[in-house]
Amino acid sequence: LASGNHAAPAAGAQQPAVSAAAPKSLPTAAAKPSGALLLTGATGFLGAHLLYELLASGEAKVLCLLRDGSDTRLTETLTRYFGDVWTADNAARIEVLKGDICLDRFGMTDADYAALTQRVSTVCHAAADVRHYAADDRLFTTNVTGTEHVVRFAQDAAAELLHVSTASISGTHVLSDPTTLHVFGESDLDIGQDWNDNVYVRSKLLAEQAVYNAVAGGLTARVFRIGRLIGRSSDGMFQKNPDSNAFFRVVRGVQTLHALPAALAAMPLELSPVDICAKAIVALRRAPAPVFHVIQPVPMPLGKALEGVVPDLQILSDEDFAARLADCSAENAAALSSLVDVWNGARSGAATVVVSSEKTQLLLRSAGFAWPPDIGCALKEF
């Protein structure tokens, strides 16, 4: 359910060259003596939960790189998600550093940058611009250039890199064979899918390529392709800026109409509670593989997923749904736009690229991690 606000490549632009596959094994570089973990994106929805899980797993010190270096902003974020008691109890294990991933050497002085490379043995890169559209080049600057800067820091620090990517780099169709079903596994990168059609997807795939280029040079890195984030499985707590979440906007559209067309209602939908996703990433941080698909293993139909959120949900034919949409669209255009995008996309042809997480699920099970079968509570705040 990506936003339909896609930005096409500039006229005459060539598709960037990328590898056909992701690395299949980890480099065997000597491990750096234990040091601190540097986390980017700590004020984000997933980033904050990664910070929580890293500390819960026993990480002694987490350095949080923030563009404005604001302790207050991080404290407010953590207090919202985890309460003031937890935030106060863990304050001594969290250190905020001022640094901008979009700038060379994070905008630090040479001395400060060099000192930081000596402190860090692991980098967890969770910062990203997650818009599926962009009015300027900020998205690419953050997701691609920012990742290149983080990769360079990991190399300079001789540190391991944990890079958060997205399963949506799989695209929806293989351009040369759009009607045939194709499986996109952990070792895949470019299978000829339509990754160049969406600016967000394109930026995240190119960011992965930057990581793999460094892996070829000896960097030890693990890439975590995450799915569609929803609220916490424990209590439904959702992100502080819900309107920036594409799925949230789709749900608002369904709640406005109290209806779904039958084809959308039956469409399998991957939904990942943010706390489960963060737990899985931390559980896999030392797993013997380079790429993971951290996604719900058994997607449920969209109609079933929304039963608790839209209790009076009606499943309509395409014709009846179109009629209801026409009746409401004038006064509720903004609330319905994301739902309309998804419906139009479904009518143009169901996705024929299926993301597999079989290898990841095996590794999670071996780590004693089980994906919960019921995620109903995670939609509580929707």
Side-chain angles (χ1 to χ4, degrees):
L1 292 178
S3 167
N5 295 308
H6 298 170
Q14 294 184 343
Q15 178 155 309
V18 297
S19 304
K24 293 180 172 58
S25 60
L26 291 164
T28 55
K32 181 179 181 179
S34 180
L37 183 144
L38 179 69
L39 173 65
T40 71
T43 58
F45 189 37
L46 177 61
H49 285 81
L50 279 171
L51 176 56
Y52 180 96
E53 293 299 335
L54 287 165
L55 293 175
S57 71
E59 196 69 41
K61 190 83 169 181
V62 177
L63 311 179
C64 296
L65 191 71
L66 300 183
R67 186 169 57 249
D68 57 5
S70 173
D71 292 88
T72 300
R73 185 161 66 92
L74 181 58
T75 297
E76 289 175 348
T77 298
L78 297 178
T79 300
R80 181 186 189 278
Y81 290 136
F82 311 115
D84 51 6
V85 173
W86 182 91
T87 302
D89 287 348
N90 288 277
R93 299 167 64 195
I94 300 169
E95 181 180 339
V96 174
L97 300 175
K98 184 176 182 179
D100 187 344
I101 64 169
C102 295
L103 301 177
D104 185 49
R105 293 177 175 256
F106 305 149
M108 296 178 172
T109 65
D110 289 348
D112 287 345
Y113 182 86
L116 186 59
T117 64
Q118 297 303 307
R119 296 182 64 190
V120 173
S121 60
T122 304
V123 181
C124 183
H125 180 38
D129 187 333
V130 298
R131 295 174 297 164
H132 281 66
Y133 61 92
D136 51 37
D137 62 357
R138 182 71 188 182
L139 185 147
F140 265 74
T141 301
T142 300
N143 293 350
V144 183
T145 305
T147 296
E148 291 171 347
H149 291 156
V150 171
V151 166
R152 173 60 64 85
F153 173 82
Q155 292 172 314
D156 291 343
E160 292 188 350
L161 175 64
L162 310 176
H163 174 68
V164 178
S165 186
T166 173
S168 63
I169 67 161
S170 66
T172 58
H173 300 84
V174 170
L175 295 171
S176 63
D177 189 13
T179 60
T180 300
L181 190 68
H182 298 268
V183 176
F184 188 87
E186 289 91 340
S187 297
D188 291 317
L189 183 60
D190 188 351
I191 61 172
Q193 75 273 32
D194 52 346
W195 60 265
N196 209 31
D197 292 346
N198 177 295
V199 291
Y200 170 69
V201 171
R202 185 160 77 249
S203 73
K204 292 299 286 184
L205 188 140
L206 294 177
E208 278 199 31
Q209 182 65 68
V211 173
Y212 302 146
N213 289 343
V215 168
L219 177 69
T220 298
R222 292 173 175 84
V223 172
F224 304 88
R225 295 171 178 162
I226 65 171
R228 188 174 293 104
L229 292 181
I230 55 174
R232 280 200 300 244
S233 63
S234 58
D235 59 5
M237 171 69 79
F238 194 49
Q239 65 192 69
K240 58 187 176 183
N241 50 341
D243 287 334
S244 67
N245 182 286
F247 179 62
F248 180 87
R249 295 195 303 272
V250 170
V251 174
R252 281 290 177 264
V254 178
Q255 290 171 329
T256 299
L257 291 179
H258 305 284
L260 271 174
L264 276 188
M267 183 175 68
L269 190 68
E270 185 280 327
L271 297 171
S272 297
V274 66
D275 53 339
I276 302 303
C277 182
K279 286 177 187 291
I281 290 173
V282 173
L284 292 166
R285 62 177 293 193
R286 295 186 178 90
V291 185
F292 310 91
H293 285 171
V294 186
I295 60 176
Q296 182 188 14
V298 184
M300 66 175 63
L302 176 58
K304 182 172 179 58
L306 297 185
E307 284 178 354
V309 183
V310 191
D312 56 349
L313 180 65
Q314 293 180 278
I315 309 301
L316 305 176
S317 66
D318 274 4
E319 294 77 13
D320 289 343
F321 183 77
R324 182 169 298 191
L325 191 63
D327 289 340
C328 298
S329 58
E331 60 183 89
N332 297 292
L336 296 173
S337 61
S338 292
L339 176 59
V340 171
D341 284 345
V342 172
W343 187 45
N344 287 336
R347 287 194 296 174
S348 67
T352 54
V353 175
V354 176
V355 179
S356 168
S357 64
E358 287 185 15
K359 294 178 182 178
T360 302
Q361 298 305 324
L362 284 172
L363 289 168
L364 283 172
R365 285 195 289 272
S366 68
F369 179 95
W371 203 278
D374 182 12
I375 62 168
C377 185
L379 294 169
K380 183 178 177 182
E381 287 197 5
F382 280 67

